[in-house]
Amino acid sequence: MSKKMDKKIKRILIIGAGEVGNSFVEELHRKPEVHMQVLCIIDDDPKKIGKNIDGVPIVGNRYDIPEAVKLYSIDDIIFAIPSAYGADRQEILNICRECN
């Protein structure tokens, strides 16, 4: 009989502290079997920075993504801004690509 291996928990950064980002955080907290832990959130609204969603800190804006990825040893980024279009969306995704 083989011993069941534990899955590595992926360290997640969410971009967007609106309804969709909030839903991701809550859903991942309710379902530990998905093996994902949200460590931080990014949002461009300066009023949200420094607050938290369900205990997860909102740590900065899009320009803080590379620093947050390093600081929190992020494995994956979830883009949770369905209303972002055009140049804004492209700039955020380009920043994410630079972080691998």
Side-chain angles (χ1 to χ4, degrees):
M1 196 179 333
S2 66
K3 186 177 179 181
K4 186 177 177 180
M5 294 179 61
D6 289 331
K7 283 190 174 184
K8 179 183 182 274
I9 294 176
K10 288 199 175 235
R11 301 168 67 85
I12 304 297
L13 176 151
I14 292 181
I15 299 174
E19 277 185 51
V20 176
N22 199 325
S23 294
F24 267 115
V25 171
E26 290 175 358
E27 187 70 16
L28 292 174
H29 281 173
R30 278 196 304 268
K31 296 192 174 186
E33 66 272 12
V34 297
H35 302 285
M36 299 172 113
Q37 180 181 12
V38 181
L39 295 170
C40 62
I41 302 166
I42 292 290
D43 197 281
D44 282 345
D45 183 347
K47 291 180 236 150
K48 293 181 180 179
I49 296 170
K51 296 185 179 178
N52 70 73
I53 295 175
D54 204 16
V56 179
I58 302 169
V59 298
N61 63 35
R62 70 179 75 182
Y63 304 108
D64 298 313
I65 293 170
E67 183 181 342
V69 166
K70 288 178 188 170
L71 183 65
Y72 291 91
S73 300
I74 297 299
D75 297 311
D76 287 321
I77 298 173
I78 294 175
F79 187 86
I81 313 173
S83 62
Y85 294 103
D88 264 351
R89 180 184 191 97
Q90 194 59 50
E91 181 180 18
I92 294 168
L93 293 175
N94 285 339
I95 292 168
C96 292
R97 279 188 200 98
E98 292 171 11
C99 299
N100 293 323

